[in-house]
Amino acid sequence: VIYHGPEQPPTSAPAPSPAAAPAPRRSLRSSWRAIESDAPPVTRKAQARLGLLLTAPLVLMVTVFLLFPMLNAVYYVFVDFNGINPNPPWVGLSNFAELVQDSRVWAALKNNVIWIVIGTVSPLVIGLALALLVWGIRRGSVLYRVAFFLPYVLPQVAVGVVWGWIYEPSRGWLNKALEVLGLGGLTTGWLGNPSTALYAVLGTAVWASAGFVFVIFLSALRNVDLDLVDASRLDGANGGQRLRYVILPQIMPVFLMVTTITLLGGFSVFDIIFVMTGGGPAGATDVLGTYAYSRAFQLSQISYGTTLALVITVLAVPFAVWLNRLQRRLSLQGTGA
Amino acid sequence: MKLSLVRATAGIAACLVVAACTGGSPASSPDNSSQKGGSGPIKYLIETPEDAAALKALKKHIATFTQSSGIQVKVSTLPTDTMRTVLQTQLRSGEGPDVFSWGSGPGFGGALANAGLLYDLTDAYKKYHWNVYDWARQRVTFNGKTYGIPGETETVGLFYNKKIFNRLGIDQPASLDDLAAAAKKAKAAGLVPLAVSDKEGWEGGHLLSMALSSAVGPAGMKALLDGHKSWNSPKVTSSLALWDDYNKAGYLPNSPTSVDYDGATAMFYSGKAAMIPTGSWLVGEIDDNTNFPVGYIPFPAAHGPGVFAGGLGSGPFISANSNKKGEDLQFLNFLASPQHGRWTVENLHTIPPQPIDTHGLHVSPLFAKVLKDTAHLSQSGTGLGYNIDVLSTDVFNEAMFDGVQAVLTGQQSPEEVASKLQDASQQ
């Protein structure tokens, strides 16, 4: 490949040999020309045409379903759109200013943080514990996998409705079970009591998601090098040490992948809360997602709701990027199942 | 070729962005649309009824209109919450329903009227002589123009189990003291005195409406709703505090914010609750689900029997973008007819917002009494209080729904909620 770009005229001093000095760094454009020059002009055109043709559907889809909604959302953040007025007034950054001063946003964010911490840690711990318990089981492991995974494949709406019945103060079996056990003093209206409502919904969400984590961890454990585990046992490592120093490092990329999914789910959580409490009582279980919905669609403040949604995205992206990079780095290091 | 493809892709993307940023615009004038009618049936959108049989019956009833007029009507349904989110977009796009059933308050029909999405029915009222009650017509009139037909009249009051009352020797409550005494006796008998639910939040609006209507009377309610009186006032505070007191006294179910509406009605139907404060829309279900006589009274005032809080349920509107307004008007004429009113009384157990000859109708004694009382109060024009949520903005309603929940769960005091209601009324 002979390069004759304008920044490197052919009349200049002879170029050093590749062995003597590193090759000059080419721009993307110059690389493209260099590749182009390999083929006859007719073939190059055909290749370009084919390339465009093949990428056009994807470009169109990305434009329509990703780029366009994002640009649209950014536009709505700077206007005051109520869902009706086709020419909403430009309000600049006032949606952001309102957001900062809105005490309900901070209350919802606090609930999001609680959800992210408990809703991420609990399924990981429960799922890992279950996976470790079932790991060595040969007979009936399919039954366990189905039983634990089933809640995850059930529609969230159905899960929310059924757990709503369980939590019902007078007819729900949770209170009845507590009374039978002599713990009647603990009975309450689980979803109507602001002190318990968020945790009651969280309990349901953990129940539903732990099965997913369990199945993923169980698959990862199947690839763990058992020789290493046996060796550590011979070296006198106890169960906790084997988990900490032998098993977990081998499944770390999978662990991070599951952490990413559950953690990001904590930012965008909506459906289970919406079904079970609607964000109530009096906003006690509102998270940013339900609050954004309420403002956008119940109060017809589309722009403010969009601003909230954008904030959720902005908050979630750094975590996603960080965890993704960490996972990739560990995979490249060969630490993985 | 390459360049043209790139340009085409960029062009499409730019068009999409511009289209999204500007949105469609509703017809600026009803005259923009043809009066001759478009092709296909009238698209009639209603909120999904709780009872599937009611929808089936309605479709069958509308078929009689099609038979007599030759106009096809396609009925479709959406859950209320979904309708709230998509209706405006549908109407703006021109792809929405021609006729739709929707709430009458400023946050519902009023918002659509202000956006130019509704067809003005003022002339149609003159042409067809639709005879609805004046107060009801006023509630679908915005900026001097009437845009809808009130669908049904609803009152909010107190149902009570006559069998329980007789057994416990309780008289029909004629004041708040009577009500408290009745609740105390019911509680002592191991019953839930008042089957109050507030899990969904909207029930709180009715709780405040009935207590406040009786506390300040129809004129006082009008002054509050018109902004002539402040919501941050002792009567509003005491009406909120009343429910707080009843909750603390154990007159409500355990944790009413955990109990949904169906749970509360089930308590009443099963005879576990002596009373249920709710609206006249429940009459049909009470008739179907109870085997004991039921009374229906206004929520008592401090020193008297109180007044019913009155309101309108959803009623039909015509989309400004409909291209079949001639047919739409004929359909509305059918929906506003006394014959349709009689049909709704018998089949849907709803109260038409117009004088109805109930002679020969097969209705229960409870519903007959409700019909009679409502007709009397509607014609007098002064005896009904106000159901707040159908007359208020979404912002106010949210403050009210959250506020009552906050009072019942101890998150806020009645004074704090009253203050927030005043703030919301100013937005």
Side-chain angles (χ1 to χ4, degrees):
Chain A
V1 176
I2 300 167
Y3 179 71
H4 293 294
E7 66 274 27
Q8 196 179 34
T11 54
S12 61
S17 70
R25 191 185 174 111
R26 289 172 178 167
S27 69
L28 193 65
R29 187 180 173 80
S30 60
S31 302
W32 170 252
R33 283 188 183 179
I35 292 165
E36 270 187 330
S37 65
D38 277 346
V42 176
T43 311
R44 285 203 317 263
K45 278 186 181 174
Q47 282 176 340
R49 211 175 293 142
L50 182 65
L52 281 170
L53 201 67
L54 291 174
T55 54
L58 186 64
V59 169
L60 191 67
M61 284 174 69
V62 169
T63 305
V64 171
F65 295 113
L66 186 70
L67 199 62
F68 159 64
M70 278 181 68
L71 287 172
N72 207 21
V74 171
Y75 163 75
Y76 280 125
V77 160
F78 296 107
V79 296
D80 183 16
F81 183 52
N82 61 1
I84 295 178
N85 183 0
N87 300 306
W90 183 265
V91 295
L93 294 171
S94 68
N95 280 319
F96 289 99
E98 184 184 346
L99 187 146
V100 172
Q101 293 167 350
D102 188 345
S103 60
R104 290 192 65 169
V105 169
W106 297 106
L109 185 61
K110 183 185 158 199
N111 286 342
N112 264 109
V113 171
I114 292 171
W115 192 281
I116 288 164
V117 173
I118 299 177
T120 303
V121 173
S122 302
L124 286 175
V125 171
I126 296 169
L128 183 61
L130 289 173
L132 289 167
L133 285 171
V134 177
W135 188 20
I137 292 178
R138 303 206 171 209
R139 281 188 182 177
S141 72
V142 174
L143 187 69
Y144 284 114
R145 270 183 282 169
V146 170
F148 289 129
F149 191 64
L150 197 61
Y152 184 71
V153 296
L154 292 174
Q156 292 279 289
V157 174
V159 169
V161 169
V162 171
W163 274 85
W165 295 338
I166 291 169
Y167 286 135
E168 214 274 338
S170 56
R171 295 174 295 171
W173 69 250
L174 181 56
N175 276 356
K176 286 188 175 170
L178 287 170
E179 280 166 5
V180 168
L181 293 170
L183 299 170
L186 295 178
T187 60
T188 184
W190 296 96
L191 296 175
N193 182 340
S195 306
T196 59
L198 183 69
Y199 300 100
V201 182
L202 246 172
T204 304
V206 169
W207 174 83
S209 60
F212 164 74
V213 178
F214 156 75
V215 168
I216 301 291
F217 279 160
L218 192 60
S219 302
L221 288 171
R222 302 252 187 246
N223 293 323
V224 165
D225 189 343
L226 293 174
D227 290 343
L228 288 175
V229 178
D230 291 339
S232 64
R233 188 181 282 120
L234 288 172
D235 287 344
N238 61 29
Q241 288 168 327
R242 287 201 297 276
L243 177 65
R244 168 74 180 82
Y245 296 107
V246 180
I247 297 171
L248 271 182
Q250 293 191 65
I251 64 168
M252 191 49 73
V254 174
F255 190 90
L256 286 174
M257 183 266 289
V258 173
T259 305
T260 307
I261 292 172
T262 49
L263 188 139
L264 294 183
F267 282 100
S268 59
V269 58
F270 171 79
D271 45 8
I272 192 82
I273 294 177
F274 187 73
V275 170
M276 293 185 75
T277 64
T285 56
D286 256 334
V287 288
L288 288 175
T290 55
Y291 188 52
Y293 174 86
S294 160
R295 293 295 292 256
F297 299 114
Q298 291 175 335
L299 301 185
S300 301
Q301 296 169 354
I302 306 289
S303 288
Y304 192 67
T306 308
T307 310
L308 283 162
L310 209 64
V311 167
I312 298 169
T313 309
V314 169
L315 288 173
V317 164
F319 287 93
V321 171
W322 174 63
L323 284 166
N324 195 268
R325 282 186 178 172
L326 194 62
Q327 185 190 347
R328 194 182 300 167
R329 201 176 70 204
L330 289 172
S331 295
L332 289 173
Q333 285 171 354
T335 312
Chain B
M1 174 67 183
K2 184 171 69 178
L3 200 62
S4 61
L5 259 175
V6 171
R7 279 180 180 164
T9 309
I12 291 168
C15 287
L16 286 169
V17 170
V18 170
C21 293
T22 53
S25 102
S28 55
S29 157
D31 299 332
N32 287 354
S33 307
S34 164
Q35 296 289 325
K36 291 175 185 173
S39 59
I42 292 173
K43 289 182 280 184
Y44 180 39
L45 176 65
I46 60 171
E47 295 155 70
T48 309
E50 282 190 25
D51 182 6
L55 178 62
K56 201 173 169 186
L58 179 67
K59 285 182 176 175
K60 199 173 167 186
H61 179 55
I62 288 175
T64 63
F65 163 74
T66 299
Q67 208 169 18
S68 62
S69 65
I71 297 170
Q72 298 285 332
V73 179
K74 186 182 177 189
V75 181
S76 58
T77 64
L78 276 177
T80 305
D81 282 342
T82 308
M83 202 159 158
R84 181 187 284 267
T85 58
V86 303
L87 182 62
Q88 292 172 359
T89 312
Q90 284 191 351
L91 293 175
R92 279 182 57 204
S93 71
E95 297 298 317
D98 300 300
V99 179
F100 58 96
S101 186
W102 195 228
S104 55
F108 295 83
L112 299 180
N114 289 335
L117 295 170
L118 299 182
Y119 177 64
D120 179 5
L121 297 175
T122 311
D123 292 338
Y125 265 82
K126 289 177 194 161
K127 180 181 174 185
Y128 292 104
H129 306 290
W130 292 329
N131 183 28
V132 301
Y133 296 129
D134 282 344
W135 70 269
R137 183 173 170 179
Q138 287 308 312
R139 294 188 186 181
V140 286
T141 300
F142 311 102
N143 303 319
K145 293 177 180 174
T146 307
Y147 287 95
I149 295 179
E152 60 187 90
T153 307
E154 293 169 346
T155 59
V156 182
L158 191 65
F159 290 98
Y160 65 95
N161 183 326
K162 286 185 175 176
K163 191 176 171 185
I164 290 175
F165 270 45
N166 288 338
R167 179 160 57 86
L168 300 177
I170 305 170
D171 292 328
Q172 180 177 296
S175 68
L176 282 180
D177 286 343
D178 288 354
L179 181 61
K184 197 173 179 181
K185 279 189 179 175
K187 190 188 171 198
L191 297 166
V192 174
L194 288 149
V196 166
S197 62
D198 196 21
K199 187 180 177 191
E200 290 94 340
W202 56 262
E203 301 97 323
H206 296 156
L207 296 177
L208 181 61
S209 294
M210 65 180 85
L212 192 55
S213 287
S214 290
V216 301
M221 285 298 285
K222 190 167 186 334
L224 282 166
L225 290 163
D226 290 345
H228 299 143
K229 276 181 74 175
S230 171
W231 287 88
N232 193 7
S233 63
K235 292 281 188 187
V236 176
T237 305
S238 63
S239 297
L240 289 163
L242 179 77
W243 292 110
D244 188 26
D245 294 342
Y246 283 2
N247 191 29
K248 286 172 180 163
Y251 297 162
L252 312 187
N254 178 23
S255 186
T257 51
S258 305
V259 181
D260 61 18
Y261 188 65
D262 289 342
T265 55
M267 273 182 219
F268 186 72
Y269 299 154
S270 62
K272 290 178 182 168
M275 296 171 272
I276 181 167
T278 186
S280 55
W281 55 83
L282 199 66
V283 169
E285 283 194 39
I286 288 176
D287 285 336
D288 293 341
N289 293 294
T290 58
N291 55 6
F292 48 80
V294 174
Y296 183 54
I297 56 172
F299 191 84
H303 304 293
V307 296
F308 285 112
L312 291 175
S314 297
F317 295 87
I318 295 178
S319 165
N321 282 330
S322 170
N323 61 358
K324 337 179 162 55
K325 300 222 175 62
E327 289 96 325
D328 296 341
L329 285 169
Q330 285 188 60
F331 183 49
L332 251 66
N333 190 39
F334 167 74
L335 295 176
S337 66
Q339 291 77 17
H340 178 69
R342 283 172 62 88
W343 180 87
T344 61
V345 168
E346 272 197 314
N347 294 275
L348 305 181
H349 302 293
T350 57
I351 308 166
Q354 57 181 302
I356 289 289
D357 177 14
T358 55
H359 184 73
L361 288 178
H362 297 288
V363 292
S364 70
L366 174 64
F367 193 37
K369 183 180 181 304
V370 171
L371 276 171
K372 191 179 161 190
D373 289 349
T374 309
H376 173 70
L377 293 168
S378 294
Q379 280 164 335
S380 71
T382 55
L384 280 174
Y386 291 79
N387 187 10
I388 300 166
D389 61 9
V390 295
L391 292 166
S392 298
T393 62
D394 289 332
V395 172
F396 184 89
N397 282 340
E398 193 189 63
M400 177 169 62
F401 299 161
D402 281 354
V404 175
Q405 280 190 334
V407 166
L408 291 174
T409 53
Q411 294 179 83
Q412 288 170 31
S413 68
E415 289 79 9
E416 286 173 313
V417 173
S419 174
K420 287 189 176 178
L421 289 179
Q422 176 59 19
D423 291 344
S425 73
Q426 302 298 309
Q427 291 178 36

